Amino acid sequence: MDSTENPAGGPDRHPRPGATAARFLAGRKALVTGAAGGIGRACAEAFAAAGADVYVVDLAAGAAGEVAAATGGTAIVADLADPEAVEALPDDADIVVNNAGLQHVAPVHAFPMDRFALIQRVMVEAPFRIVRRTLPHMYARQWGRVVNVSSVHGLRASPYKSAYVMAKHALEGLSKVVALEGAAHGVTSNCLNPGYVRTPLVEDQIADQALAHGIPEDQVVDRVLLDRTAIKRLVEPAEVAAAAVWLCAGNTGCITGSSLPMDGGWTAH
């Protein structure tokens, strides 16, 4: 990561004033949703370490404030299920990391409609609204990066996760459209597709997974979460964050419209 990108989107061998190899995103603003914990917090920390000014967006005010204080960022408390709250987010981000999400485990015939609608608002409508608002700023600067934290479930399906799988597939489609439209403006858009990551979102669904599959809770990780992976461990949040930062480096400007599996070999089957 020894180069940045110039305003036209090509490699720049002379970093901007204030930028160094380690802080190559100095002068950039990154908006990270769901940034108070898990993958989002790891992304906020990684982007701040790379020199970016980070908007720490989350519904949890206390945790968002802690992350902002630790990273030198700005905490923004927002309910992404509320369109008005999303429309009030900053529109001057050079980098958008659409990460916020939630999960509900239930068969299709018993899936609660209110949870289905909530998942779509937070994980599909909110990313669309955020990108729609920030693209004009990126286009004006002729540089921008959209990093969508998708999932292996954006590429594959699992039972009992209809709303989540649908939302991640929709995010994949949005990412590709933004890649095509943004290419002429120096903007790239990509998805990261981790398998199960060591986050509260995963830990909180173990009981539901055990009930849905009819197995003890202590067997869920091995028999359900890691059943289809070649590498038998959970992905760490910092690994996803490192990939997100890498997609904003000077040598990745031609990577766009892509989906990067980080699934321990799940999709190799």
Side-chain angles (χ1 to χ4, degrees), residues 117-204:
L118 176 62
I119 288 171
Q120 305 313 309
R121 286 199 302 272
V122 172
M123 296 171 57
V124 180
E125 183 177 341
F128 175 81
R129 287 181 179 273
I130 291 168
V131 173
R132 178 177 177 272
R133 283 175 49 75
T134 53
L135 279 178
H137 169 78
M138 297 180 190
Y139 287 177
R141 299 192 70 178
Q142 285 292 293
W143 193 94
R145 296 290 179 265
V146 178
V147 180
N148 297 300
V149 181
S150 180
S151 164
V152 67
H153 285 113
L155 306 173
R156 298 288 189 272
S158 290
Y160 312 118
K161 293 187 173 183
S162 53
Y164 187 88
V165 170
M166 287 175 65
K168 291 303 188 183
H169 274 68
L171 186 63
E172 296 278 333
L174 172 63
S175 184
K176 290 178 174 62
V177 172
V178 173
L180 296 177
E181 293 185 7
H185 305 281
V187 175
T188 68
S189 176
N190 294 283
C191 285
L192 297 176
N193 301 81
Y196 287 100
V197 183
R198 194 185 306 279
T199 65
L201 182 68
V202 168
E203 294 168 351
D204 290 347

Side-chain angles (χ1 to χ4, degrees), residues 218-239:
D218 60 5
Q219 296 182 18
V220 167
V221 172
D222 289 336
R223 293 183 56 183
V224 178
L225 306 190
L226 301 180
D227 177 57
R228 287 166 283 188
T229 66
I231 299 174
K232 298 300 183 181
R233 68 169 177 84
L234 298 176
V235 182
E236 297 297 333
E239 294 177 287

Side-chain angles (χ1 to χ4, degrees), residues 159-160 208-215 223-224:
Y160 312 118
D208 290 338
Q209 287 278 17
L211 180 63
H213 290 272
I215 60 176
R223 293 183 56 183
V224 178

Side-chain angles (χ1 to χ4, degrees), residues 1-5 12-27 48-52 250:
M1 297 181 182
D2 58 356
S3 66
T4 59
E5 291 208 349
D12 184 354
R13 298 184 184 279
H14 303 285
R16 294 177 307 284
T20 65
R23 295 178 61 81
F24 68 99
L25 290 177

